[in-house]
Amino acid sequence: MSEASKRLTLRRLAIDTYRENVAYMHRDCPLYRTEGFQALAKLEVRDGHKQILAVLNVVDDDSIVGVEEIALSEQAFAQMSLPEGTLVSIGHAEPPESMEAVRRKLRGERLSAEDYQAITRDIADNRYSKIEMAAFVVTSGQTGLDRDEILYLTEAMAKTGKQVKWEEPLVADKHCIGGIPGNRTSMIVVPIVAAHGLLIPKTSSRAITSPAGTADTMEVLANVEIGPKPMRHIVHAHRGCIVWGGTANLAPVDDILIAVERPLGMDSLGQMVASILSKKLSAGSTHLIVDIPVGPTSKVRHMREALRLRKLFEYVGDRIGIHVEVVITDGRQPIGRGIGPVLEARDVMRVLENSPEAPTDLREKSLRLAGRVIEFDPDVRGGQGYAIARDILDSGRALQKMNEIIDHQGRHSLAPVGSLSFEVKSPRGGVVTEIDNLHLARVARLAGAPMDKGAGVDLSRKLGEPVDKGDVLYRVYAEFPPDLHFAKEQCERETGYRIGKADEIPDHTFGL
Amino acid sequence: MSEASKRLTLRRLAIDTYRENVAYMHRDCPLYRTEGFQALAKLEVRDGHKQILAVLNVVDDDSIVGVEEIALSEQAFAQMSLPEGTLVSIGHAEPPESMEAVRRKLRGERLSAEDYQAITRDIADNRYSKIEMAAFVVTSGQTGLDRDEILYLTEAMAKTGKQVKWEEPLVADKHCIGGIPGNRTSMIVVPIVAAHGLLIPKTSSRAITSPAGTADTMEVLANVEIGPKPMRHIVHAHRGCIVWGGTANLAPVDDILIAVERPLGMDSLGQMVASILSKKLSAGSTHLIVDIPVGPTSKVRHMREALRLRKLFEYVGDRIGIHVEVVITDGRQPIGRGIGPVLEARDVMRVLENSPEAPTDLREKSLRLAGRVIEFDPDVRGGQGYAIARDILDSGRALQKMNEIIDHQGRHSLAPVGSLSFEVKSPRGGVVTEIDNLHLARVARLAGAPMDKGAGVDLSRKLGEPVDKGDVLYRVYAEFPPDLHFAKEQCERETGYRIGKADEIPDHTFGL
């Protein structure tokens, strides 16, 4: 068919297809059959110098797209940046050039820094279909990335987004690889470190598969959706902040790859390191404490895996100019007592307020981590960080700093815990020998967390504590009866607790 | 949020999203934010016993979907099979159960027959997103499938579609793994074998990445889009047919996986064997000749790879009850002279008509393959097949049979070759020592094949033939000036021919 007849009228379709450009063509469009487009075909839509790639969807409704039109999904239309009504040419698309590198990876080869840059650039420019993105993610996870490839991917991802500059020689940060319910140390570490005077502009994530992220929990107390400019004001005024990182456009390709990895349940160590460090590099962090909890039901289950991960963090960190210190922590059970945004915010405030009800483990872990961050300060002697952190917390200066940050970010009035609840009781007497992180996270999510802020789980017993038959192990809170029902069903199948003898508690040789 | 408020009104959206169910929700829909659906989130849409999984797209246009509505893509709506306006419940979806097996495969494990059945069933039921399908395809290609896994996948894919039953003890078939332009032996083998009296109901494919498939070439002569019932009439009347296999719903999961593999340029041996044999099993074939061409620019480039492939075909074939014979053939150059539907149909008819212009290699290869098929007949002595096939061809009985089949399928009036053309000439004298299959296929496609039936390439010289400087190597035909232009550009970069001395021709030790 002639070139002139390969032109269609551009139209915008207000459908958000995430990072996959989609082009909609009418089934009766003359181009559709004559060009022999296949299922999952990729088209090239072009006009002069502008050119995008898009996956084809076929439409049987004139009101969505006419037979002489080509409609583009929102992202694709924005990228084309031409007015509706423009005549554009349509043709078969070649795969994006960097797919050649992905195919080499599929054959088991090692890729170069240039390959990773080309791949992340094409992904950032929406040139990859979901199938192509999945191929990259799966093959990187499966063939594995060697430590130089992790470095290349980290640098390449950091380059795809904004680069924050703080114009200070020391920008502190901390990060936990996740998997432990209730582990809200950042909200205690940040005010302590900021009160000490180090710069700690903390951007946090919302929960993806957990019952609460730091951003969800901080949101119980204050506004966290804060743009780059107001964030800068807050940090300059108080030396710290705790905001949601989603507005900053830091390493956006990392977010895209995570969105692909999540439904596959993939979690390769290499991708984890590249994901975390690309975000930190973009955020302008210079000194970073990484918390790796190890335990039978946490993300990292064996000490040898934790050590391998530590080496990877150190190797990549050194080469991208971030001073990384890895702390391997006890991940055998949840930290604190509450699980879910409101309950976790309560625990955090109890620690900051030096309340007698403050959970000891949350306080101690936060102090140790804050101490390690404070030791980044060249004026602090090695080994003195913990004592400085404890002084700041005990004196109320951490609480005061937290209140300043909350007020500046925008204080929220306190939300109550869920109005519905039930108790889970011990079927026998003994000592708590195991607590299943995954079970408790699941129960809290079934109860409505993190969307229903007051939903969650409140633990009455922790590892090593004695229980009598019928003692309450934990209480589950929900806002709505069906959620309560689902959570209850789950708890009737199993409590997530094991009650036995004191000497059955798995050894904890990790230490800080 | 309460269960009652998680209900939306069902609406059909006439968008064909291939095998991925898509659900469209308005950005202002109260469910969208409160449920915290993520990018690429998967929803469960349900009503009583009916339940489907769908990937979420977010819409900013009330005319596509209202704030209280949930719209489903065509396939998803059909699967839900409820009237528009029904109130349906929406929730977060768990991944399909068989994804657990895919995750085990991602970790490098071997899967069981039950795993493959669960996976193919979920794919057939549109429960997989494109990301999940890609993960399965990539991991199967990369981790590799052992021969039992290939067997399991073959059986599982065959079960997902229709099973054709012929009620005869011997149903013959032949299949080439592809990659050689002009290789249209089926259109000669079928009439010879049918004339001998064996049942050979041939279903063929259209070109995907090649300049012509058997279905495209047969379509020059006759209608090939024939439903199962009329096909049965034709086969009963003439013992054979040559139709497009796309209407028969044979092993549909194979088509889905191919659609995912294609954009990734993947071609693992295991997936190839499972793909071919699942289709043959569904088609009711009992005896099959597989043609594996080997050459420097064909799909299989080394004899050792061809032998490995042969063992896999034999292993799986024996276990699914198909008698498979593998024939390794000369894949160093195109077969026949024409490349493209009209030109290939011309070659086929010249062979059947015993024309002096008939390409010898196409005739000889077809006779050898037909001979092997005929030897499946228990009444034929081993080694006699070739002579029987030659007698049938030379006597004109094959041509007569072909004409019967063409008339019954519906004869097409002959299309001309493309009206535009140019010649590619030899830059020096000598002997043809190499012909690049990939280059010639690409030129023919650039010229418009297979969509423009008359477009393609007509070879004047084959391997081993002498040429003088300025002699025509081949002529390229097109219908439209831009296509001719693109093809010409490609030929100006390289001819695809190598001219040298006779002793430089790579050895051909494959033999039939």
Side-chain angles (χ1 to χ4, degrees), chain A residues 1-3 6 12-20 22 24 27 32-41 55-61 64 74 92 94-95 99 103 105-108 129-132 134-135 138-140 142-143 207-208 225 256 259-260 262-266 442 445 451-452 480 482-483 486, chain B residues 1-3 6 12-20 22 24 27 32-41 55-61 64 74 92 94-95 99 103 105-108 129-132 134-135 138-140 142-143 207-208 225 256 259-260 262-266 442 445 451-452 480 482-483 486:
Chain A
M1 101 181 294
S2 79
E3 278 303 292
K6 288 181 185 171
R12 169 177 174 267
L13 201 58
I15 296 182
D16 175 354
T17 54
Y18 191 55
R19 301 298 300 221
E20 181 176 67
V22 178
Y24 302 85
R27 197 178 298 277
Y32 172 57
R33 277 189 172 261
T34 54
E35 284 294 292
F37 293 118
Q38 306 278 339
L40 307 187
V55 166
L56 177 64
N57 276 191
V58 181
V59 175
D60 289 284
D61 181 342
I64 296 172
E74 278 187 14
H92 288 272
E94 296 290 322
M99 268 302 290
R103 274 192 292 270
K105 191 79 202 156
L106 282 168
R107 290 199 297 269
S129 68
K130 285 194 275 184
I131 287 173
E132 289 161 340
V138 169
T139 188
S140 314
Q142 187 153 57
T143 313
I208 294 179
E225 298 199 359
I256 300 170
V260 174
R262 194 190 317 133
L264 300 177
M266 289 192 63
R442 189 165 162 73
R445 280 187 72 96
M451 288 305 143
D452 300 331
F480 300 100
D483 297 333
F486 290 133
Chain B
M1 101 180 293
S2 77
E3 277 305 291
K6 288 182 187 172
R12 169 176 173 268
L13 201 57
I15 296 182
D16 175 354
T17 54
Y18 191 56
R19 301 297 300 219
E20 182 176 67
V22 177
Y24 302 85
R27 197 178 299 277
Y32 172 58
R33 276 188 173 265
T34 52
E35 284 294 292
F37 292 118
Q38 306 279 339
L40 307 187
V55 166
L56 177 65
N57 276 192
V58 181
V59 175
D60 290 285
D61 181 340
I64 296 173
E74 278 186 14
H92 288 271
E94 296 290 323
M99 268 303 291
R103 275 194 291 271
K105 190 79 203 156
L106 282 168
R107 291 198 297 269
S129 68
K130 285 195 274 183
I131 287 173
E132 289 161 340
V138 169
T139 190
S140 313
Q142 188 153 56
T143 314
I208 294 179
E225 298 200 358
I256 300 170
V260 174
R262 194 191 315 133
L264 300 176
M266 290 191 64
R442 189 165 161 74
R445 280 187 72 94
M451 288 306 142
D452 300 332
F480 299 102
D483 297 333
F486 290 134

Side-chain angles (χ1 to χ4, degrees), chain B residues 203-274:
Chain B
T203 52
S204 301
S205 53
R206 293 190 181 280
I208 294 179
T209 55
S210 73
T214 293
D216 301 306
T217 302
M218 184 67 182
E219 202 173 33
V220 172
L221 307 172
N223 176 32
V224 295
E225 298 200 358
I226 288 171
K229 254 193 163 168
M231 172 176 162
R232 211 166 263 276
H233 286 148
I234 296 166
V235 172
H236 281 149
H238 310 288
R239 307 295 291 164
C241 67
I242 304 166
V243 304
W244 178 51
T247 53
N249 193 34
L250 302 176
V253 166
D254 175 49
D255 299 327
I256 300 170
L257 296 183
I258 287 175
V260 174
E261 288 159 19
R262 194 191 315 133
L264 300 176
M266 290 191 64
D267 50 356
S268 82
L269 296 190
Q271 285 167 339
M272 187 197 286
V273 171

